[in-house]
């Protein structure tokens, strides 16, 4: 052993003095050797063979193809909000002409419409769970980055939300027989769509954090129910809430959007607006402030969903 050890040390020192090819250099050598057979993908100093843009394109193409391949999924995204809007809308048919003017529309019709939009994302929780399991399995095999899945989900799920809520909102508006001028319908439509988009990340975060569908559903239900109750028009209002809870109404997406919609529909009628202020405590809030708070909710819960998808592992290899 004493005779062999110095030789081994010398061999190790010599090997360290003249290291071989790195992993990237080895791949580049193989890349050059195989170029004679045709075009080869670029060698990247990464565990992923494709660029982030390529990952997003491929994951997005697959998700879109699967969505369009199943007519039931497409039909549900159209039929459900259409039937829901027609059923609820018929219950409030001609509500715009009922007295006291404004009160019936805001406390009844708008309250129910917000509930439908806020809870609409529950239909997608099972699919979110399935997508998460598939993503974590494939990411574990280094097929693509988890951020590619997050980006695709953000864009495609938002498109589905816009279509679903757009149909529901329009049908409800038709039955209410409110004015079709842009000054009335435009702000109403845009604000309700925005609050629906803000709700989506909450369901994504619940589906990413929870281990199974039951836990995700219960977690999302409790949180969204709290937001729905504090909408400022149907359940907890600024007139009925105790002073300690009033700050919550200043940051709740449902309450802020309800005030924006109420102002858009009745802000040009001082008598009706004063009635809404006296009855519910509705105030004229800056749309920029409302938009900033909605954006904050959107960013925070998307970040929570992304962090959970990346760091919470529910799939064992």
């Amino acid at each position: 052993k004493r005779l062999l050890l110095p030789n081994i040390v010398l061999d190790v020192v010599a090997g360290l003095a003249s290291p071989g090819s790195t992993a990237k250099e080895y791949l580049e050598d193989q890349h050059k050797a195989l170029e004679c057979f045709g075009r080869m993908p670029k060698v990247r100093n990464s565990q992923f063979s494709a660029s982030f843009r390529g990952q997003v394109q491929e994951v997005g193409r697959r998700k879109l193809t699967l969505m369009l391949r199943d007519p039931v999924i497409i039909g549900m995204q159209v039929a459900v909000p259409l039937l829901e809007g027609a059923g609820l809308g018929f219950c409030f048919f001609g509500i715009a002409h009922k007295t006291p003017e404004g009160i019936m529309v805001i406390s009844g019709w708008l309250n129910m419409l917000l509930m439908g939009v806020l809870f609409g994302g529950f239909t997608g929780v099972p699919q979110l769970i399935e997508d998460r399991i598939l993503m974590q399995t494939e990411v574990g095999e280094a097929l693509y980055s988890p951020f590619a899945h997050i980006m695709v989900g953000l864009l495609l799920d938002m498109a589905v939300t816009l279509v679903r809520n757009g149909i529901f909102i329009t049908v409800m508006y038709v039955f209410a027989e409110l004015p079709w001028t842009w000054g009335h319908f435009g702000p109403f439509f845009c604000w309700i769509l925005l609050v629906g988009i803000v709700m989506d990340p909450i369901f994504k975060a619940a589906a990413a954090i929870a281990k199974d569908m039951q836990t995700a559903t219960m977690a999302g239900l409790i949180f969204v129910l709290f937001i729905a109750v504090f909408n400022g028009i149907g359940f907890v209002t600024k007139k009925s809430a105790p002073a300690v809870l009033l700050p919550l109404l200043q940051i709740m997406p449902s309450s802020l959007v309800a005030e924006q919609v109420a102002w858009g529909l009745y802000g040009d009628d001082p008598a009706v607006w004063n009635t809404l202020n006296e009855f519910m405590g509705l105030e004229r809030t800056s749309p920029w402030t409302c938009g900033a708070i909605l954006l904050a909710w959107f960013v925070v819960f998307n970040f929570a969903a992304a962090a959970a998808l990346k760091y919470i592992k529910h799939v064992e290899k």
Side-chain angles (χ1 to χ4, degrees):
K1 291 183 179 179
R2 293 180 179 179
L3 294 174
L4 292 175
L5 185 58
N7 294 330
I8 294 175
V9 172
L10 292 175
D11 291 340
V12 171
V13 172
L16 292 174
S18 57
S21 301
T22 63
K24 185 179 180 182
E25 290 171 344
Y26 175 78
L27 291 175
E28 288 174 343
D29 293 339
Q30 294 295 316
H31 182 274
K32 292 177 181 178
L34 294 173
E35 278 184 331
C36 61
F37 296 102
R39 184 179 178 183
M40 297 293 295
K42 182 180 178 181
V43 176
R44 300 180 180 278
N45 190 22
S46 169
Q47 62 177 323
F48 307 111
S49 60
S51 65
F52 182 74
R53 178 181 177 183
Q55 297 172 42
V56 171
Q57 289 177 340
E58 291 303 318
V59 175
R61 185 180 295 112
R62 182 183 66 177
K63 185 176 178 67
L64 184 60
T65 300
L66 292 175
M67 289 173 59
L68 298 178
R69 182 178 296 173
D70 190 347
V72 176
I73 296 179
I74 301 175
M76 289 291 288
Q77 297 301 331
V78 176
V80 170
L82 188 62
L83 294 175
E84 184 182 9
L88 291 176
F90 185 74
C91 296
F92 294 95
F93 183 75
I95 193 71
H97 308 301
K98 303 293 178 64
T99 56
E101 186 179 1
I103 297 294
M104 301 296 290
V105 171
I106 301 301
S107 65
W109 174 79
L110 180 58
N111 179 44
M112 188 58 64
L113 187 148
L114 277 174
M115 295 286 285
V117 171
L118 294 177
F119 288 97
F122 272 113
T123 58
V125 171
Q127 187 61 48
L128 289 173
I129 297 290
E130 292 182 10
D131 290 346
R132 184 200 70 197
I133 295 173
L134 178 62
M135 181 275 295
Q136 292 184 335
T137 301
E138 294 180 336
V139 167
E141 300 296 332
L143 297 182
Y144 52 82
S145 166
F147 296 108
H149 169 83
I150 293 167
M151 180 64 68
V152 169
L154 178 65
L155 297 177
L156 290 184
D157 292 341
M158 186 183 300
V160 172
T161 298
L162 289 174
V163 172
R164 182 184 68 237
N165 287 339
I167 295 173
F168 175 68
I169 294 166
T170 304
V171 173
M172 286 285 287
Y173 197 89
V174 169
F175 278 93
E177 295 188 343
L178 288 161
W180 279 97
T181 61
W182 176 251
H184 291 85
F185 178 72
F188 158 80
F189 187 79
C190 293
W191 283 116
I192 299 296
L193 277 185
L194 280 177
V195 77
I197 291 174
V198 169
M199 289 297 103
D200 260 12
I202 296 178
F203 297 111
K204 288 183 179 180
I209 295 172
K211 190 172 184 179
D212 51 45
M213 188 177 70
Q214 291 78 9
T215 307
T217 302
M218 289 303 300
L221 175 64
I222 294 172
F223 204 89
V224 176
L225 181 62
F226 186 75
I227 296 174
V229 168
F230 281 80
N231 61 14
I233 56 174
F235 301 101
V236 179
T237 69
K238 291 180 179 178
K239 289 292 185 179
S240 65
V244 68
L245 294 180
L246 288 179
L248 289 176
L249 291 169
Q250 304 290 344
I251 61 172
M252 283 294 169
S254 53
S255 176
L256 292 169
V257 167
E259 288 187 328
Q260 294 298 324
V261 170
W263 177 261
L265 294 175
Y266 297 107
D268 56 355
D269 190 330
V272 175
W273 180 253
N274 289 335
T275 301
L276 293 174
N277 177 264
E278 294 175 4
F279 185 71
M280 302 177 190
L282 297 185
E283 300 172 334
R284 174 63 173 133
T285 308
S286 167
W288 295 105
T289 302
C290 180
I293 295 176
L294 292 180
L295 179 62
W297 278 76
F298 182 80
V299 170
V300 167
F301 281 96
N302 267 304
F303 179 81
L309 286 173
K310 182 170 177 59
Y311 296 109
I312 300 179
K313 307 298 183 183
H314 297 288
V315 177
E316 298 293 337
K317 294 182 64 177

